Amino acid sequence: RIMPVRWSRYNPSYLEPEVKKESYQKPLEELTEEEREQMELKAVRPIKAAPPTLSSSAFSDPMISKFTNMMMKNGNKVLARSLMSQTLETIKRKQLEKYHKAPENEKETIECNPYVIFHQALKNCQPIIGLSNITRGGKTYQVPVPLTDNRKRFLAMKWLITECRENKHRRTMMPEKLSQELLLAFNNEGPVIKRKHVLHKMAEANRAYAHFRWW
Amino acid sequence: MAAPAYPAWVTRWVSGQWRNKKRPPALRPPRTLALADKVANRREQSTEATCITEMSVMMACWKQNDFNDTPCAEEIRMFYDCVAKAEKERKNQNEDTLSSRGNLPSSKVNKLLRRFPQITRHV
């Protein structure tokens, strides 16, 4: 019987699997010293099994997989993945429509690749500075604090998903609403960007408490 | 009558020295007058917040440009660099060496003292 366990059960000596094809096609001479050491280590140590979400195909993207996992509800990965692909398709359709309607000189400025739009939109949504609760002398203050990369990505994705789930008409489908939000975020407009600006404004208002940090 | 020469104890008595004010100290605490093998627990002073200047510069830039990120890209990059440096500094600093203020935390001092205790008995 398999017991659910929070952390990994692997021995610490197990290494992560290397999935990218390019790293195996490099000739021996081009590798740096540390890469050679890594290769020798891999020949001796055992390697963990690759999880099913990790793939070596050119079409897989770790950010998109993370976003799909965050959209997933009750483990329904099939539904989440189909929603994600429909979103990307809607983005492509909208951009192509704009492209064919635009005059000749503007055709280069319109971005049609949905992956590029997704990445740029997420990057535009990431907050630069966050607030954390620090208690001093009985009172809790909101102190502006730098965030790690993981936390920024998580916040951007979370804001997008909550925005799409809550502020939409009952009959709009998730792909359509998500594509709308992603296109707005790509142009630095929209409610998610506004939420990011609100956070920045609060951090700016509380900048006097920045000295309460101890890290 | 010249200045009357009283014995020293008379002057001292008259001045009230012996009444509680300047008695020779009677040693009340019977603790042994020797160094113990541990230091008192001192609250480790917290380090200061890092990257405040970069943050304030970035916020001034935001205020001028209505919180857009594109005109402030340079300040934001400097802030990120400072944060990365501070993070690396924190990871690399080893607590076994002296901290930035030149003091060891009391737990480390106690560990060292326990390894080399004071010898109280000789055989």
Side-chain angles (χ1 to χ4, degrees):
Chain A
R1 198 171 165 246
I2 304 178
M3 298 301 292
V5 126
R6 192 179 169 85
W7 284 284
S8 140
R9 296 288 297 263
Y10 278 115
N11 192 321
S13 63
Y14 276 64
L15 305 167
E16 299 289 332
E18 175 64 53
V19 179
K20 292 195 294 198
K21 270 186 252 181
E22 292 89 21
S23 63
Y24 293 115
Q25 280 159 358
K26 271 199 218 165
L28 257 178
E29 294 79 26
E30 260 179 52
L31 300 176
T32 56
E33 279 310 311
E34 21 177 81
E35 277 175 8
R36 265 177 241 242
E37 278 173 28
Q38 268 286 359
M39 256 182 70
E40 259 143 61
L41 192 64
K42 279 192 177 183
V44 192
R45 292 276 187 92
I47 303 193
K48 295 188 197 176
T53 43
L54 194 65
S55 100
S56 61
S57 89
F59 303 111
S60 74
D61 189 1
M63 283 260 250
I64 301 247
S65 343
K66 188 65 97 181
F67 196 76
T68 344
N69 288 342
M70 282 182 71
M71 270 209 298
M72 172 165 68
K73 274 189 178 176
N74 299 334
N76 197 346
K77 181 73 141 266
V78 172
L79 184 62
R81 206 177 139 144
S82 68
L83 285 176
M84 193 71 220
S85 46
Q86 280 168 37
T87 317
L88 293 170
E89 194 193 322
T90 358
I91 294 180
K92 181 87 186 189
R93 275 180 198 270
K94 285 186 183 172
Q95 289 297 91
L96 275 180
E97 206 183 306
K98 254 167 71 176
Y99 181 84
H100 288 302
K101 282 193 190 153
E104 281 303 322
N105 49 351
E106 280 175 26
K107 283 205 170 167
E108 282 103 32
T109 50
I110 299 181
E111 181 58 57
C112 280
N113 188 350
Y115 292 95
V116 166
I117 293 186
F118 180 78
H119 284 261
Q120 187 58 42
L122 265 190
K123 219 162 101 169
N124 289 349
C125 286
Q126 282 178 8
I128 293 167
I129 206 174
L131 290 172
S132 93
N133 298 350
I134 293 189
T135 324
R136 274 283 177 102
K139 273 177 79 172
T140 355
Y141 300 99
Q142 301 272 23
V143 173
V145 129
L147 300 167
T148 53
D149 277 332
N150 284 342
R151 179 81 186 149
K152 288 181 203 150
R153 275 196 290 259
F154 170 76
L155 277 175
M157 292 199 230
K158 181 94 181 176
W159 287 345
L160 260 178
I161 294 179
T162 25
E163 169 64 39
C164 291
R165 280 187 184 158
E166 280 159 29
N167 295 354
K168 68 177 165 90
H169 185 63
R170 184 180 58 90
R171 295 213 33 173
T172 37
M173 294 288 121
M174 178 72 156
E176 193 192 307
K177 174 78 178 168
L178 233 194
S179 58
Q180 225 174 40
E181 291 301 328
L182 281 172
L183 285 168
L184 285 175
F186 178 68
N187 298 330
N188 271 324
E189 301 150 352
V192 192
I193 300 281
K194 204 157 156 255
R195 188 161 167 179
K196 175 181 95 148
H197 284 337
V198 159
L199 181 65
H200 284 174
K201 281 184 188 141
M202 274 188 60
E204 215 256 310
N206 284 4
R207 66 182 186 269
Y209 297 136
H211 288 275
F212 285 175
R213 214 163 29 110
W214 58 85
W215 65 98
Chain B
M1 204 154 96
Y6 297 110
W9 66 266
V10 173
T11 356
R12 269 229 218 123
W13 179 38
V14 162
S15 71
Q17 238 182 26
W18 287 108
R19 286 163 155 215
N20 274 351
K21 285 185 191 166
K22 253 194 178 172
R23 272 225 194 100
L27 190 68
R28 287 304 154 98
R31 287 208 295 209
T32 40
L33 291 176
L35 293 173
D37 280 332
K38 55 183 179 169
V39 191
N41 275 336
R42 190 162 62 154
R43 195 197 78 137
E44 175 66 17
Q45 260 164 330
S46 31
T47 41
E48 304 87 24
T50 45
C51 302
I52 295 202
T53 39
E54 267 82 7
M55 186 161 70
S56 41
V57 160
M58 190 175 66
M59 289 189 169
C61 176
W62 270 345
K63 252 215 138 92
Q64 281 172 358
N65 297 352
D66 193 29
F67 290 92
N68 280 333
D69 286 338
T70 25
C72 294
E74 183 59 36
E75 277 85 1
I76 294 178
R77 194 189 58 85
M78 276 185 13
F79 180 62
Y80 281 165
D81 287 342
C82 175
V83 164
K85 222 166 34 145
E87 196 55 42
K88 233 173 77 149
E89 182 69 36
R90 266 191 70 214
K91 276 185 113 161
N92 285 345
Q93 87 178 161
N94 190 6
E95 273 306 321
D96 284 344
T97 52
L98 294 177
S99 72
S100 56
R101 258 178 237 123
N103 296 329
L104 273 178
S106 58
S107 50
K108 295 275 166 28
V109 172
N110 282 337
K111 263 200 201 156
L112 276 174
L113 287 175
R114 229 174 290 149
R115 279 169 62 191
F116 305 104
Q118 189 88 332
I119 306 177
T120 39
R121 290 164 216 234
H122 286 280
V123 177

